[in-house]
Amino acid sequence: MVDLQAQLEPIKSDVLNRFETILEEASFINGGAVAQFQKELETYLGVKHVIPCANGTDALQIAMMGLGLKPGDEVITADFTFAATVEVIALLGLTPVLVDVYEDDFTINVEAVRAAITSKTKAIVPVHLFGQCANMDELMELSKEHDLLVIEDNAQAIGAKYHSRTGARPMAGTIGHVGATSFFPSKNLGAYGDGGALFTNDDDLAHTLRGIVNHGMYQRYHHDVVGVNSRLDSLQAAVLSAKLPHLDDYNHRRKNAARAYNKALSKTPFVSLPVTVTDCGGICESCTCHVFHQYTLKISGGHRDALAAHLAEKQIPHGVYYPIPLHKQKAYSDQRYREEDFSVTNQISDEVLSLPMHTELTDEQIDYITTTIHQFLSNRG
Ligand SMILES: *Cc1c(COP(=O)(O)O)cnc(C)c1O
């Protein structure tokens, strides 16, 4: 699904030089490399504070701790996302409230959020799923109306620029009260191990978060709040510093691959192409609100699993993200949920199919993959 070896080649000597410095300094934890990456990412995102941490799941959890969410508080998030998003809500004793998503771009349905708001609702966690920004204009409006906090799960969309109807183009993850991201190796900005970060423009919240990631310490051995141990290590920060200057190019290459896939599959029966929520109706040069963490098709007619089996036979990597809606998972099922409120997630979990998506895809690979898909589905059409 991703080709990390080929991506390493152009940055290999830079990464090794940075590693050498860290090894010589033995500055493995909280070293200069972490502080440097933090500054670079703040500049790139145009956000006042980046708080590095150990992984994206921690980032979400720390965001909720820092915002002071308490057991019994309801947190609304999407039924169609990676489990980490809902896991941390449950882990903190908060009440997850799952809602349906849009069938075209798979992001959280704002009307479903509105319908789920109660007097106990404290926060919304939109997920910029597969690299596509959620409907932040309307979500921020809704949050103001009901005095709710917005935590962006930006694990899949770093580098995306949201197309606000005001004409502004803020970076994904910097629009809500706090953003959380992951540097898992296969993410758009991936380390060579685990890593994560929080983003916020709120000085007080940033201060609180910096203490929480470090055992609740604001002064050495003074523990003011209950914290966690969640650190980005220097070696991972060095990898991220080496890659950050290439991130826009990486995302551009993903977009080009997506355009090539779209073009080749536009007349294939049973295939719905991914939608970007801009005016062009396809993927144009100015589309920046989707950075294609995944390239995900919908395959109708009940042919998804047969196509997946065929791709496996042809040794073409593919994935089903995600095969089971969260409200149907044992850990997150809840008596309050009604199946009719999840018509989209129930349908798309049977239809989605993600194709290889990374920065090193060649025209030949895309041609082979799309020809295989087109032939298979045309024979069923
Ligand atoms: C990857 C991911 C996470 C978790 O990130 P980790 O670094 O693996 O903990 C959270 N949310 C979403 C949507 C993700 O894709």
Side-chain angles (χ1 to χ4, degrees):
M1 292 295 280
V2 295
D3 185 349
L4 294 175
Q5 284 97 338
Q7 194 193 53
L8 170 64
E9 223 28 66
I11 56 168
K12 191 168 181 178
S13 62
D14 185 15
V15 169
L16 291 176
N17 285 338
R18 289 169 192 263
F19 280 2
E20 201 171 356
T21 309
I22 292 168
L23 299 190
E24 280 165 2
E25 290 174 352
S27 55
F28 302 116
I29 299 286
N30 286 338
V34 179
Q36 186 189 329
F37 171 66
Q38 176 192 317
K39 289 231 160 52
E40 290 164 352
L41 190 58
E42 284 166 353
T43 304
Y44 173 82
L45 293 171
V47 72
K48 274 173 93 175
H49 304 283
V50 164
I51 299 97
C53 66
N55 58 67
T57 309
D58 275 8
L60 287 163
Q61 177 182 330
I62 292 158
M64 291 174 203
M65 293 170 76
L67 290 170
L69 299 181
K70 296 275 180 313
D73 290 350
E74 293 181 2
V75 179
I76 301 173
T77 193
D79 189 35
F80 194 66
T81 172
F82 181 55
T85 320
V86 65
E87 178 178 60
V88 297
I89 301 172
L91 204 59
L92 291 173
L94 315 174
T95 305
V97 177
L98 297 168
V99 301
D100 215 350
V101 298
Y102 293 123
E103 63 177 311
D104 55 355
D105 73 1
F106 312 128
T107 65
I108 195 163
N109 183 314
V110 179
E111 286 319 307
V113 174
R114 189 188 296 278
I117 293 173
T118 71
S119 58
K120 291 184 182 164
T121 308
K122 289 288 154 55
I124 309 171
V125 186
V127 183
H128 303 314
L129 199 74
F130 302 152
Q132 165 72 57
C133 294
N135 188 345
M136 292 306 292
D137 279 340
E138 288 186 24
L139 287 167
M140 292 312 292
E141 232 164 66
L142 191 61
S143 75
K144 278 200 197 92
E145 233 173 84
H146 295 269
D147 200 17
L148 305 175
L149 298 161
V150 176
I151 303 161
E152 293 176 74
D153 182 341
N154 196 40
Q156 302 191 358
I158 196 158
K161 289 191 192 78
Y162 180 60
H163 285 235
S164 168
R165 46 166 188 255
T166 64
R169 295 285 181 271
M171 303 299 290
T174 69
I175 305 162
H177 298 88
V178 58
T181 204
S182 163
F183 304 120
F184 185 79
S186 64
K187 301 281 156 100
N188 290 36
L189 179 62
Y192 294 153
D194 277 312
L198 296 120
F199 325 137
T200 185
N201 284 308
D202 180 330
D203 297 339
D204 292 337
L205 178 60
H207 175 75
T208 303
L209 296 171
R210 288 209 168 90
I212 292 174
V213 299
N214 189 26
H215 302 292
M217 279 196 288
Y218 297 89
Q219 212 187 319
R220 204 160 169 77
Y221 301 122
H222 293 253
H223 303 274
D224 295 357
V225 295
V226 176
V228 294
N229 167 19
S230 188
R231 297 184 280 241
L232 179 70
D233 71 65
S234 304
L235 291 171
Q236 300 308 334
V239 173
L240 295 166
S241 278
K243 282 190 173 188
L244 184 59
H246 302 278
L247 179 58
D248 285 345
D249 176 53
Y250 290 161
N251 284 340
H252 192 70
R253 288 202 247 170
R254 286 172 178 272
K255 185 166 88 173
N256 283 344
R259 291 165 80 174
Y261 273 135
N262 269 9
K263 197 161 166 236
L265 292 169
S266 65
K267 294 189 177 67
T268 305
F270 307 114
V271 165
S272 303
L273 302 174
V275 169
T276 63
V277 184
T278 38
D279 303 330
C280 62
I283 310 169
C284 64
E285 274 307 315
S286 67
C287 292
T288 55
C289 69
H290 198 326
V291 289
F292 291 95
H293 174 60
Q294 297 294 346
Y295 179 85
T296 303
L297 301 170
K298 282 188 292 182
I299 310 294
S300 62
H303 299 299
R304 195 267 315 269
D305 292 343
L307 175 60
H310 183 68
L311 294 177
E313 218 170 88
K314 297 279 177 187
Q315 300 194 328
I316 294 174
H318 57 278
V320 172
Y321 311 119
Y322 299 91
I324 305 168
L326 289 173
H327 81 276
K328 288 191 174 171
Q329 300 283 358
K330 259 192 223 160
Y332 305 114
S333 65
D334 191 313
Q335 301 251 338
R336 288 172 310 167
Y337 295 142
R338 299 177 314 170
E339 280 311 311
E340 60 265 35
D341 291 334
F342 298 101
S343 57
V344 174
T345 59
N346 283 338
Q347 184 183 340
I348 61 182
S349 50
D350 289 335
E351 293 188 346
V352 286
L353 185 72
S354 300
L355 302 183
M357 175 49 80
H358 53 85
T359 56
E360 314 300 319
L361 276 169
T362 64
D363 291 346
E364 292 72 31
Q365 287 169 329
I366 291 173
D367 188 52
Y368 177 67
I369 295 164
T370 54
T371 305
T372 306
I373 293 171
H374 187 81
Q375 280 173 356
F376 182 80
L377 290 174
S378 294
N379 286 338
R380 297 192 151 222

